[in-house]
Amino acid sequence: MTYSKTDLLALKDFYANQLMNNTVPFWFPRSFDKECGGFLLMRDADGSLIDDDKAVWIQGRAVWTLSTLYNTVEKKQEWLDGAKLGYDFLNKHCFDTDGQMFFHVTRDGRPIRKRRYFFSETFYVIAAAAYAKASGDEEAAYKARLVFGKCIEYATTPGLLQPKFTNTRPSKGIGVPMIMMNTAQQLRETIGDPRCDEWIEKWIAEIEKDFVKDDIKCVMEQVTPDGSIIDHIDGRTLNPGHAIEGAWFILHEAKHRNNDKRLIDLGCRMIDYMWERGWDKEHGGILYFRDVYNKPVQEYWQDMKMWWPHNEVIIATLLAYLMTGNEKYATMHKQVHEYAYKHFHDTEHGEWFGYLHRDGTLAQPAKGNLYKGPFHLPRQEWYCWQILENSLKTR
Amino acid sequence: MTYSKTDLLALKDFYANQLMNNTVPFWFPRSFDKECGGFLLMRDADGSLIDDDKAVWIQGRAVWTLSTLYNTVEKKQEWLDGAKLGYDFLNKHCFDTDGQMFFHVTRDGRPIRKRRYFFSETFYVIAAAAYAKASGDEEAAYKARLVFGKCIEYATTPGLLQPKFTNTRPSKGIGVPMIMMNTAQQLRETIGDPRCDEWIEKWIAEIEKDFVKDDIKCVMEQVTPDGSIIDHIDGRTLNPGHAIEGAWFILHEAKHRNNDKRLIDLGCRMIDYMWERGWDKEHGGILYFRDVYNKPVQEYWQDMKMWWPHNEVIIATLLAYLMTGNEKYATMHKQVHEYAYKHFHDTEHGEWFGYLHRDGTLAQPAKGNLYKGPFHLPRQEWYCWQILENSLKTR
């Protein structure tokens, strides 16, 4: 199948409408915590609060979402004020004395948990960078660049962060080069930074060389430092939605480089490989984990359908279609879009449920918790809207 | 309903037969690692090896299972030799230089991961104690007592182990008093230790005072140090199968104390409360996690059916029935027994699957991995066999 211009126009309107009239209003303004700062995001299906704790990843991501809407959609004061509420909370409460960030804090910002990796920091960078652009706040720009530098240091200095595993079986995950690439892209597109291009190229090269396995048509989630497959349960575990998220970051980079053919080809291969492994041919939807050799996966929720892989695959397939015109990506996009909006979208209270069983029935109804908040879904609706709008201009 | 003497006899034969002709032969002798020591237990449905790593919990538990069979069922040399293989591996490879144990090691015993709690140690204690009884090895008895002492120290010295969370919201789990109680019971019943009775009494008192909430008919999984409910997502999360495992440890203690009425009443209340919260009235089986106030549970697999809670509930309900004669426990036992052997038992290759969806369909077929091995199922079949045999003698 293909998408006609009319289809694309309808899709653009659909995403814009969902974002502005359904997803964003579910979260804001009600989640602004005017008393303690930051956002109250842990919410049940109907929006009622189930916990007033604050997940640092999600606080940062919400600042990014609000700032990005302000920067690209409409100069709405409520969004800028909201972003500032979150940005100030992050600065005031979410850094430990050693400069590392916490993972989970109380409503009033007292630390509950710190983790042994630096994704709170990467989401701080995109938050501060987007907020700096929105507000013109020079200090926010300075801080975004400072913490980006720290992330590079964490990513490239073995042993700087306390390890979770011993050195017996060294491994590295695709998460670091992938998220760092996206962090650098966001930094470049908001306030700019001279380090971004070079590092993005390095991270893409690492993904291509060490994680993408053309011989077995697979993108690994974890490998040895030199890119070999680790033939143990954890090492064999694939995360198709995550790999496809990485694929669209690479396609996004290809676009930035005037449709660089090598990167388009790399991103599309990653989508092809992981769609084949991740799409559930029996029930539809993207399976959470797979084993590279189809052995049993250990993580209990391995065959559940979660919201965010669907957001990422919707973006990736639409972007691949718009960049290549290859009809197979329109087919994939239509499949995943229809599955996702049918099964995840809550037609009663808005936004999406997060957690379905393999067969598509609801496992639990929370809209927000320590891991879910206003990020993957609004980012997907916003990004798809933007690329459709740009693409339609030239059609 | 009630169980007649004929029913109980049939049940006894069923458990004995399953244990000896189905469960134990699935694991042994094929899992003995004569090359590197220890056991190769990470196995697919058909018994083929999916990973040669070794989970320290499960290595210890397998030593306990083999030694206990030797001590109570039959003086089979293969079991004693197997237990020694595992016991030696634990001593040689599973202790770090600081005396703490690892959680996960390679086939040849190089450490992969150490965790911030001491359950590897508690399972070492029951392994070494049961092995000491089986073998008459005095050093094993010494080591069991030594590590039991360390466990008491870890359990009672705040800050001795590196904490996973900050001190902002202090909490304690029911796992420590529960598992320590069972560890002490095992120690007492194999090689004896003068510390056991006093500590068991303290741990039961802690469970009764801090975790059992009669006003809301609930056993909490986590509370503040003084036993208050922590009204946040994690603090509200209940684990019905775990609480009911704790209940039968208490009933077991009641039996040891000539059917102590207070303890029988406590154990039965715990079963009643958590059966009501954990039994899935729609599909049958024990739900993994519940929220004390029925809010959404965060852990993704919260409504899956896993093997081990069923093993624990089968034991608890049968023991409660035999000790009280209350017919409701026979009804519960029949329900959970029938559900479990219908849905978990693999009629083709033996043993049980570990992971079902809420509706009872198979989620993944592994028989062994980092968390599952020859423990909960053989313990259940062995324990039910023993208590039925003892009970039938007096009927």
Side-chain angles (χ1 to χ4, degrees), chain A residues 44 50-53 106 110-113 116 162 164-166 168-169 232-233 236 296-298 300-304 306 355 357 363-364 369-370, chain B residues 44 50-53 106 110-113 116 162 164-166 168-169 232-233 236 296-298 300-304 306 355 357 363-364 369-371:
Chain A
D44 208 341
I50 55 177
D51 197 327
D52 63 8
D53 280 354
T106 61
R110 286 167 299 138
I112 297 278
R113 189 174 177 195
R116 291 169 285 196
Q162 192 197 2
K164 186 167 172 177
F165 296 92
T166 67
T168 299
R169 186 181 293 152
H232 291 277
I233 294 172
R236 290 196 304 262
V297 175
Q298 184 164 267
Y300 310 143
W301 64 94
Q302 41 91 28
D303 70 353
M304 286 179 72
M306 295 208 198
Y355 307 92
H357 301 122
Q364 63 108 318
N369 57 29
L370 204 49
Chain B
D44 208 341
I50 55 176
D51 198 326
D52 64 7
D53 280 354
T106 61
R110 286 168 298 138
I112 297 277
R113 190 175 178 194
R116 291 168 284 197
Q162 191 198 1
K164 186 166 172 178
F165 296 91
T166 67
T168 298
R169 186 182 292 152
H232 291 277
I233 294 172
R236 291 196 304 261
V297 176
Q298 185 163 266
Y300 310 143
W301 63 93
Q302 42 91 27
D303 70 354
M304 285 179 73
M306 294 207 199
Y355 308 92
H357 301 123
Q364 64 107 320
N369 57 29
L370 203 48
Y371 306 105

Coordinates of all heavy atoms in Angstrom, one line a residue, chain A residues 44 50-53 106 110-113 116 162 164-166 168-169 232-233 236 296-298 300-304 306 355 357 363-364 369-370, chain B residues 44 50-53 106 110-113 116 162 164-166 168-169 232-233 236 296-298 300-304 306 355 357 363-364 369-371:
Chain A
D44 N -3.6 7.7 37.6 CA -4.5 6.5 37.2 C -5.1 6.9 35.9 O -5.0 8.0 35.4 CB -5.5 6.3 38.3 CG -6.0 4.9 38.4 OD1 -5.8 4.1 37.4 OD2 -6.6 4.5 39.4
I50 N -2.0 8.8 41.9 CA -1.7 7.5 42.7 C -0.5 7.6 43.5 O -0.3 6.8 44.4 CB -1.7 6.3 41.8 CG1 -0.6 6.4 40.6 CG2 -3.1 6.0 41.2 CD1 -0.5 5.1 39.8
D51 N 0.3 8.6 43.3 CA 1.6 8.8 44.1 C 2.1 10.2 43.8 O 2.1 10.6 42.7 CB 2.6 7.7 43.6 CG 3.7 7.5 44.6 OD1 4.1 8.5 45.3 OD2 4.2 6.4 44.7
D52 N 2.5 10.9 44.8 CA 3.1 12.2 44.6 C 4.6 12.3 44.5 O 5.2 13.3 44.4 CB 2.5 13.2 45.7 CG 3.0 12.9 47.1 OD1 3.8 12.0 47.2 OD2 2.5 13.6 48.0
D53 N 5.2 11.1 44.5 CA 6.7 11.1 44.2 C 7.0 11.6 42.8 O 6.1 11.7 41.9 CB 7.2 9.6 44.3 CG 7.4 9.2 45.8 OD1 7.2 10.0 46.7 OD2 7.7 8.0 46.0
T106 N 11.1 12.5 46.4 CA 9.8 12.8 47.0 C 9.2 14.0 46.4 O 9.8 14.7 45.7 CB 9.8 13.0 48.5 OG1 10.7 14.1 48.7 CG2 10.4 11.8 49.2
R110 N 13.2 15.3 48.2 CA 14.2 14.6 49.0 C 14.5 13.3 48.2 O 13.6 12.6 47.7 CB 13.7 14.3 50.4 CG 13.7 15.6 51.3 CD 12.9 15.3 52.6 NE 11.5 15.1 52.3 CZ 10.8 14.1 52.9 NH1 11.3 13.4 53.8 NH2 9.5 13.9 52.5
P111 N 15.8 12.9 48.1 CA 16.1 11.7 47.3 C 15.7 10.4 47.9 O 15.8 10.2 49.1 CB 17.7 11.8 47.3 CG 18.0 12.5 48.5 CD 17.0 13.5 48.8
I112 N 15.1 9.6 47.0 CA 14.8 8.2 47.4 C 15.8 7.2 46.8 O 16.2 6.3 47.4 CB 13.4 7.9 46.8 CG1 12.3 8.7 47.4 CG2 13.0 6.4 47.0 CD1 11.8 8.3 48.8
R113 N 16.1 7.4 45.5 CA 17.0 6.4 44.9 C 17.9 7.1 43.8 O 17.4 8.0 43.1 CB 16.1 5.3 44.2 CG 16.9 4.2 43.7 CD 16.0 3.1 43.2 NE 16.8 2.0 42.7 CZ 16.4 1.0 41.9 NH1 15.1 1.0 41.6 NH2 17.1 0.1 41.4
R116 N 22.9 3.5 38.9 CA 24.3 3.5 38.5 C 24.5 3.7 37.0 O 25.3 3.2 36.4 CB 24.8 2.1 38.9 CG 25.0 2.0 40.4 CD 25.3 0.6 40.8 NE 24.1 -0.3 40.7 CZ 24.0 -1.5 41.3 NH1 25.0 -2.0 42.0 NH2 22.9 -2.2 41.2
Q162 N 29.8 3.7 39.4 CA 29.9 2.4 40.1 C 29.2 1.3 39.2 O 28.0 1.5 38.8 CB 29.1 2.5 41.4 CG 29.4 1.3 42.3 CD 28.3 1.3 43.4 OE1 27.4 2.1 43.5 NE2 28.5 0.3 44.3
K164 N 27.3 -2.1 37.9 CA 26.3 -3.1 38.5 C 26.8 -4.5 38.4 O 26.4 -5.3 39.2 CB 25.0 -2.9 37.6 CG 23.8 -3.7 38.1 CD 22.5 -3.3 37.4 CE 21.4 -4.2 37.7 NZ 20.1 -3.7 37.0
F165 N 27.7 -4.8 37.5 CA 28.2 -6.1 37.3 C 29.7 -6.1 37.5 O 30.3 -5.0 37.5 CB 27.9 -6.6 35.9 CG 26.4 -6.8 35.6 CD1 25.6 -5.8 35.1 CD2 25.8 -8.0 36.0 CE1 24.3 -5.9 34.9 CE2 24.4 -8.1 35.8 CZ 23.7 -7.1 35.3
T166 N 30.3 -7.3 37.7 CA 31.8 -7.3 37.8 C 32.4 -7.2 36.5 O 31.7 -7.1 35.4 CB 32.2 -8.7 38.4 OG1 31.8 -9.7 37.4 CG2 31.4 -9.0 39.7
T168 N 34.0 -9.6 35.0 CA 34.1 -10.9 34.4 C 33.7 -11.0 33.0 O 34.3 -11.7 32.2 CB 33.3 -12.0 35.3 OG1 33.9 -11.9 36.6 CG2 33.5 -13.4 34.7
R169 N 32.6 -10.4 32.7 CA 32.0 -10.5 31.3 C 31.6 -9.1 30.8 O 30.5 -8.8 30.9 CB 30.8 -11.5 31.4 CG 30.2 -11.8 30.0 CD 29.0 -12.7 30.1 NE 29.3 -14.0 30.6 CZ 28.5 -14.8 31.3 NH1 27.3 -14.3 31.6 NH2 28.9 -16.0 31.7
H232 N 24.6 -15.7 26.4 CA 23.9 -16.0 27.7 C 22.6 -15.3 27.7 O 22.3 -14.4 26.8 CB 24.8 -15.5 28.9 CG 26.1 -16.3 29.0 ND1 26.1 -17.5 29.7 CD2 27.3 -16.1 28.5 CE1 27.4 -18.0 29.6 NE2 28.1 -17.1 28.9
I233 N 21.7 -15.7 28.6 CA 20.3 -15.2 28.6 C 20.3 -13.7 28.4 O 19.6 -13.2 27.4 CB 19.5 -15.6 29.8 CG1 19.4 -17.2 29.8 CG2 18.1 -15.0 29.8 CD1 18.8 -17.7 31.1
R236 N 21.6 -12.3 25.0 CA 20.8 -12.7 23.8 C 19.5 -11.9 23.7 O 18.8 -11.9 22.7 CB 20.5 -14.2 23.9 CG 21.6 -15.1 23.6 CD 21.1 -16.5 23.3 NE 20.3 -17.1 24.3 CZ 20.6 -17.9 25.3 NH1 21.9 -18.3 25.3 NH2 19.8 -18.4 26.1
P296 N 14.0 -19.1 25.4 CA 13.1 -18.3 26.3 C 13.8 -17.1 26.9 O 15.0 -17.1 27.3 CB 12.9 -19.4 27.4 CG 13.2 -20.7 26.9 CD 14.3 -20.4 25.8
V297 N 13.1 -16.0 26.9 CA 13.6 -14.8 27.5 C 13.3 -14.7 29.0 O 12.2 -15.2 29.4 CB 12.9 -13.5 26.8 CG1 13.3 -12.2 27.5 CG2 13.3 -13.5 25.3
Q298 N 14.2 -14.3 29.8 CA 14.0 -14.4 31.2 C 13.1 -13.3 31.8 O 12.3 -13.6 32.7 CB 15.4 -14.3 31.9 CG 15.4 -14.4 33.4 CD 16.8 -14.7 33.9 OE1 17.2 -15.8 34.0 NE2 17.5 -13.7 34.1
Y300 N 10.2 -11.3 32.9 CA 8.9 -11.9 33.0 C 7.9 -11.3 32.0 O 7.0 -11.9 31.5 CB 8.3 -11.6 34.4 CG 9.1 -12.0 35.6 CD1 9.2 -11.2 36.7 CD2 9.9 -13.1 35.5 CE1 10.0 -11.6 37.8 CE2 10.7 -13.5 36.6 CZ 10.8 -12.7 37.7 OH 11.5 -13.1 38.8
W301 N 8.0 -10.0 31.7 CA 7.1 -9.2 30.9 C 7.5 -9.3 29.4 O 7.0 -8.4 28.6 CB 7.0 -7.8 31.4 CG 8.3 -7.0 31.2 CD1 8.6 -6.2 30.2 CD2 9.4 -6.9 32.1 NE1 9.8 -5.7 30.3 CE2 10.3 -6.1 31.6 CE3 9.6 -7.5 33.4 CZ2 11.6 -5.8 32.2 CZ3 10.8 -7.3 34.0 CH2 11.8 -6.4 33.4
Q302 N 8.3 -10.2 29.0 CA 8.9 -10.2 27.7 C 7.9 -10.1 26.5 O 8.2 -9.6 25.5 CB 9.8 -11.4 27.5 CG 9.2 -12.7 28.1 CD 8.4 -13.6 27.2 OE1 8.6 -13.5 26.0 NE2 7.5 -14.4 27.7
D303 N 6.7 -10.7 26.7 CA 5.8 -10.7 25.5 C 4.6 -9.7 25.7 O 3.7 -9.7 25.0 CB 5.3 -12.1 25.2 CG 4.4 -12.7 26.2 OD1 4.2 -12.0 27.3 OD2 3.8 -13.7 26.0
M304 N 4.7 -8.8 26.7 CA 3.7 -7.8 26.9 C 3.8 -6.7 25.8 O 4.9 -6.6 25.2 CB 3.8 -7.1 28.3 CG 3.3 -8.0 29.4 SD 3.5 -7.3 31.1 CE 2.2 -6.0 31.0
M306 N 3.8 -2.9 25.4 CA 3.9 -1.6 26.2 C 3.8 -0.4 25.2 O 4.1 -0.5 24.0 CB 5.2 -1.6 26.9 CG 5.2 -2.6 28.0 SD 6.3 -2.1 29.4 CE 6.5 -3.8 30.1
Y355 N 0.2 -0.6 29.5 CA 0.6 -2.0 29.7 C -0.5 -2.9 29.3 O -1.6 -3.0 30.0 CB 0.9 -2.2 31.2 CG 1.9 -1.2 31.7 CD1 1.5 0.0 32.3 CD2 3.3 -1.4 31.6 CE1 2.4 1.0 32.7 CE2 4.2 -0.5 32.0 CZ 3.8 0.7 32.6 OH 4.7 1.6 33.0
H357 N -1.5 -7.0 27.9 CA -1.0 -8.4 27.8 C -0.7 -8.6 26.3 O -1.1 -7.8 25.4 CB -2.1 -9.4 28.2 CG -2.6 -9.2 29.6 ND1 -3.9 -9.0 29.9 CD2 -1.9 -9.3 30.7 CE1 -4.0 -8.9 31.2 NE2 -2.8 -9.1 31.8
A363 N -3.5 -4.8 31.0 CA -2.9 -5.4 32.2 C -3.1 -4.5 33.4 O -3.4 -5.0 34.4 CB -1.5 -5.7 31.9
Q364 N -2.9 -3.2 33.2 CA -3.1 -2.3 34.3 C -3.3 -0.9 33.7 O -2.7 -0.5 32.7 CB -2.1 -2.4 35.4 CG -0.7 -2.0 34.9 CD -0.2 -0.7 35.5 OE1 -1.0 0.3 35.5 NE2 1.0 -0.6 35.9
N369 N 3.6 6.7 36.0 CA 4.2 6.1 37.2 C 5.7 6.4 37.2 O 6.1 7.4 36.5 CB 3.9 4.6 37.3 CG 4.3 3.8 36.1 OD1 5.3 4.2 35.4 ND2 3.7 2.7 35.7
L370 N 6.5 5.6 37.8 CA 7.9 5.9 37.8 C 8.5 5.8 36.4 O 9.6 6.4 36.2 CB 8.6 4.8 38.7 CG 9.9 5.1 39.4 CD1 9.9 6.5 40.1 CD2 10.3 4.0 40.4
Chain B
D44 N 15.6 -25.2 29.1 CA 14.4 -25.0 28.4 C 13.4 -26.1 28.7 O 13.6 -27.0 29.5 CB 14.7 -25.1 26.9 CG 13.8 -24.3 26.0 OD1 12.7 -23.9 26.5 OD2 14.2 -24.0 24.9
I50 N 20.0 -23.7 28.3 CA 19.9 -22.4 27.6 C 21.0 -21.4 28.0 O 21.2 -20.4 27.4 CB 18.5 -21.7 27.7 CG1 18.1 -21.6 29.2 CG2 17.4 -22.5 27.0 CD1 16.8 -20.8 29.4
D51 N 21.6 -21.8 29.1 CA 22.7 -20.9 29.6 C 23.5 -21.8 30.6 O 22.9 -22.5 31.4 CB 22.1 -19.7 30.4 CG 23.1 -18.6 30.5 OD1 24.3 -18.8 30.8 OD2 22.7 -17.4 30.5
D52 N 24.8 -21.7 30.6 CA 25.6 -22.5 31.6 C 26.0 -21.6 32.8 O 26.8 -22.1 33.6 CB 26.8 -23.2 30.9 CG 27.8 -22.2 30.3 OD1 27.7 -21.0 30.6 OD2 28.8 -22.7 29.6
D53 N 25.5 -20.4 32.9 CA 25.8 -19.6 34.1 C 25.1 -20.3 35.3 O 24.3 -21.2 35.2 CB 25.2 -18.2 34.0 CG 26.1 -17.3 33.2 OD1 27.3 -17.7 32.8 OD2 25.7 -16.2 32.9
T106 N 29.8 -17.4 36.6 CA 29.9 -18.2 35.4 C 30.0 -19.7 35.7 O 30.1 -20.1 36.9 CB 31.2 -17.8 34.6 OG1 32.3 -18.1 35.5 CG2 31.2 -16.3 34.3
R110 N 33.4 -17.7 38.1 CA 33.9 -16.3 38.1 C 32.6 -15.4 38.4 O 31.6 -15.6 37.8 CB 34.6 -16.0 36.9 CG 36.0 -16.6 36.8 CD 36.6 -16.4 35.4 NE 35.8 -17.2 34.4 CZ 35.4 -16.7 33.2 NH1 35.8 -15.5 32.8 NH2 34.7 -17.4 32.4
P111 N 32.8 -14.4 39.3 CA 31.6 -13.6 39.6 C 31.1 -12.7 38.5 O 31.9 -12.1 37.8 CB 32.1 -12.8 40.8 CG 33.6 -12.7 40.6 CD 34.0 -14.0 40.0
I112 N 29.8 -12.7 38.4 CA 29.1 -11.8 37.4 C 28.4 -10.6 38.2 O 28.5 -9.5 37.8 CB 28.1 -12.5 36.6 CG1 28.7 -13.6 35.7 CG2 27.2 -11.5 35.8 CD1 29.3 -13.1 34.4
R113 N 27.7 -11.0 39.3 CA 27.0 -10.0 40.0 C 26.8 -10.3 41.4 O 26.7 -11.5 41.8 CB 25.6 -9.9 39.3 CG 24.8 -8.7 39.8 CD 23.5 -8.6 39.1 NE 22.7 -7.5 39.6 CZ 21.4 -7.2 39.4 NH1 20.7 -8.1 38.6 NH2 20.8 -6.2 39.9
R116 N 22.8 -6.3 46.8 CA 22.9 -5.6 48.1 C 22.0 -6.2 49.2 O 21.4 -5.5 50.0 CB 22.6 -4.2 47.9 CG 23.6 -3.5 47.1 CD 23.2 -2.1 46.6 NE 22.3 -2.2 45.5 CZ 22.0 -1.2 44.6 NH1 22.6 0.0 44.8 NH2 21.2 -1.4 43.6
Q162 N 25.4 -2.3 51.8 CA 25.2 -1.1 51.0 C 23.7 -1.0 50.6 O 23.1 -1.9 50.1 CB 26.1 -1.1 49.7 CG 26.1 0.2 49.0 CD 26.6 0.0 47.6 OE1 26.8 -1.1 47.1 NE2 26.7 1.1 46.8
K164 N 20.1 0.1 48.8 CA 19.7 0.4 47.5 C 19.0 1.7 47.4 O 19.0 2.4 46.4 CB 18.7 -0.7 47.0 CG 18.3 -0.7 45.6 CD 17.6 -2.0 45.2 CE 16.9 -1.9 43.9 NZ 16.3 -3.2 43.5
F165 N 18.4 2.1 48.5 CA 17.7 3.4 48.6 C 18.3 4.3 49.6 O 19.1 3.9 50.5 CB 16.2 3.1 49.0 CG 15.5 2.3 48.0 CD1 15.4 0.9 48.0 CD2 14.8 2.9 46.9 CE1 14.8 0.2 47.1 CE2 14.2 2.2 45.9 CZ 14.1 0.8 46.0
T166 N 18.0 5.6 49.5 CA 18.5 6.5 50.5 C 17.8 6.4 51.8 O 16.8 5.6 51.9 CB 18.3 8.0 50.0 OG1 16.8 8.2 50.0 CG2 18.8 8.2 48.7
T168 N 15.8 8.6 53.1 CA 14.7 9.5 53.1 C 13.4 8.8 53.6 O 12.6 9.4 54.3 CB 14.4 10.1 51.7 OG1 15.6 10.8 51.3 CG2 13.2 11.0 51.6
R169 N 13.1 7.6 53.1 CA 11.9 6.9 53.4 C 12.2 5.5 53.9 O 12.1 4.6 53.1 CB 11.0 6.9 52.2 CG 9.6 6.4 52.5 CD 8.8 6.4 51.2 NE 8.5 7.7 50.7 CZ 8.3 8.0 49.4 NH1 8.4 7.1 48.5 NH2 8.0 9.3 49.1
H232 N 2.8 4.9 49.0 CA 3.4 5.2 47.7 C 3.3 3.8 46.9 O 3.1 2.8 47.5 CB 4.8 5.7 47.8 CG 4.9 7.0 48.4 ND1 4.7 8.2 47.7 CD2 5.1 7.4 49.7 CE1 4.8 9.2 48.5 NE2 5.0 8.8 49.7
I233 N 3.5 3.9 45.6 CA 3.3 2.8 44.8 C 4.0 1.5 45.3 O 3.4 0.5 45.5 CB 3.7 3.0 43.3 CG1 2.8 4.1 42.7 CG2 3.6 1.7 42.5 CD1 3.3 4.6 41.3
R236 N 2.8 0.2 48.7 CA 1.4 -0.4 48.7 C 1.4 -1.8 48.0 O 0.4 -2.5 48.1 CB 0.4 0.5 47.9 CG 0.1 1.8 48.6 CD -1.1 2.5 48.0 NE -1.0 2.7 46.6 CZ -0.6 3.9 46.0 NH1 -0.4 4.9 46.8 NH2 -0.5 4.0 44.7
P296 N -3.4 0.9 40.6 CA -2.5 0.1 39.7 C -1.2 -0.2 40.3 O -0.5 0.6 40.9 CB -2.4 1.1 38.5 CG -3.4 2.2 38.7 CD -3.7 2.2 40.1
V297 N -0.7 -1.4 40.0 CA 0.6 -1.9 40.5 C 1.6 -1.6 39.4 O 1.3 -1.7 38.2 CB 0.6 -3.4 40.8 CG1 1.9 -3.9 41.2 CG2 -0.4 -3.7 41.9
Q298 N 2.8 -1.1 39.8 CA 3.7 -0.7 38.8 C 4.5 -1.8 38.1 O 4.8 -1.7 36.9 CB 4.7 0.3 39.5 CG 5.7 0.9 38.5 CD 6.4 2.0 39.2 OE1 6.0 3.2 39.0 NE2 7.4 1.8 40.0
Y300 N 5.6 -4.6 36.0 CA 4.9 -5.0 34.7 C 4.1 -6.3 34.8 O 3.1 -6.5 34.2 CB 5.9 -5.0 33.6 CG 6.8 -3.9 33.4 CD1 8.1 -4.0 33.0 CD2 6.3 -2.6 33.6 CE1 9.0 -3.0 32.9 CE2 7.2 -1.5 33.5 CZ 8.5 -1.7 33.1 OH 9.3 -0.6 33.0
W301 N 4.7 -7.3 35.5 CA 4.2 -8.6 35.5 C 3.2 -8.9 36.6 O 2.9 -10.0 37.0 CB 5.4 -9.6 35.6 CG 6.1 -9.5 36.9 CD1 5.9 -10.2 38.0 CD2 7.2 -8.6 37.2 NE1 6.8 -9.8 39.0 CE2 7.6 -8.8 38.6 CE3 7.9 -7.6 36.5 CZ2 8.6 -8.1 39.2 CZ3 8.9 -6.9 37.1 CH2 9.3 -7.2 38.4
Q302 N 2.7 -7.8 37.2 CA 1.8 -7.9 38.4 C 0.7 -8.9 38.3 O 0.3 -9.5 39.3 CB 1.3 -6.5 38.7 CG 0.8 -5.7 37.6 CD -0.6 -5.8 37.3 OE1 -1.4 -6.1 38.1 NE2 -1.0 -5.6 36.0
D303 N 0.1 -9.1 37.2 CA -1.0 -10.1 37.2 C -0.7 -11.4 36.5 O -1.6 -12.2 36.2 CB -2.3 -9.4 36.5 CG -2.2 -9.2 35.0 OD1 -1.1 -9.4 34.5 OD2 -3.1 -8.8 34.4
M304 N 0.6 -11.7 36.3 CA 1.0 -13.0 35.7 C 0.8 -14.0 36.8 O 0.8 -13.8 38.0 CB 2.4 -12.9 35.3 CG 2.6 -12.2 33.9 SD 4.3 -12.1 33.4 CE 4.6 -13.8 32.9
M306 N 2.8 -17.1 38.3 CA 4.1 -17.7 38.4 C 4.0 -19.0 39.2 O 3.2 -19.1 40.1 CB 5.1 -16.7 38.9 CG 5.3 -15.6 37.9 SD 6.9 -14.9 38.1 CE 6.6 -13.3 37.3
Y355 N 6.0 -19.5 34.0 CA 5.5 -18.2 33.7 C 4.2 -18.3 32.8 O 4.3 -18.6 31.6 CB 6.6 -17.4 33.0 CG 7.9 -17.4 33.8 CD1 8.9 -18.3 33.6 CD2 8.1 -16.4 34.8 CE1 10.0 -18.3 34.3 CE2 9.2 -16.5 35.6 CZ 10.2 -17.4 35.3 OH 11.4 -17.4 36.1
H357 N 0.5 -16.2 31.5 CA -0.2 -15.0 31.5 C -1.4 -15.1 32.6 O -1.7 -16.2 33.0 CB -0.9 -14.8 30.2 CG 0.1 -14.7 29.0 ND1 0.1 -15.5 28.0 CD2 1.2 -13.9 28.9 CE1 1.1 -15.2 27.1 NE2 1.8 -14.2 27.7
A363 N 3.4 -18.1 29.0 CA 4.1 -16.9 28.5 C 5.5 -17.3 28.0 O 5.9 -16.7 27.0 CB 4.3 -15.9 29.7
Q364 N 6.2 -18.1 28.7 CA 7.5 -18.6 28.2 C 7.8 -19.9 28.9 O 7.4 -20.2 30.0 CB 8.6 -17.6 28.3 CG 9.0 -17.2 29.7 CD 10.3 -17.8 30.1 OE1 10.6 -18.9 29.8 NE2 11.0 -17.0 30.9
N369 N 16.2 -20.9 35.1 CA 16.9 -19.7 34.7 C 17.5 -19.0 35.9 O 17.8 -19.8 36.9 CB 16.0 -18.7 33.9 CG 14.8 -18.3 34.7 OD1 14.8 -18.2 36.0 ND2 13.7 -18.0 34.0
L370 N 17.8 -17.8 35.9 CA 18.4 -17.1 37.1 C 17.6 -17.2 38.3 O 18.1 -17.1 39.4 CB 18.7 -15.7 36.7 CG 19.8 -14.9 37.4 CD1 21.1 -15.6 37.5 CD2 20.1 -13.5 36.7
Y371 N 16.3 -17.4 38.2 CA 15.3 -17.3 39.3 C 14.6 -18.7 39.6 O 14.1 -18.8 40.7 CB 14.3 -16.2 39.1 CG 14.9 -14.9 38.8 CD1 14.9 -14.4 37.5 CD2 15.6 -14.2 39.8 CE1 15.6 -13.1 37.2 CE2 16.2 -13.0 39.5 CZ 16.2 -12.5 38.3 OH 16.8 -11.3 38.0

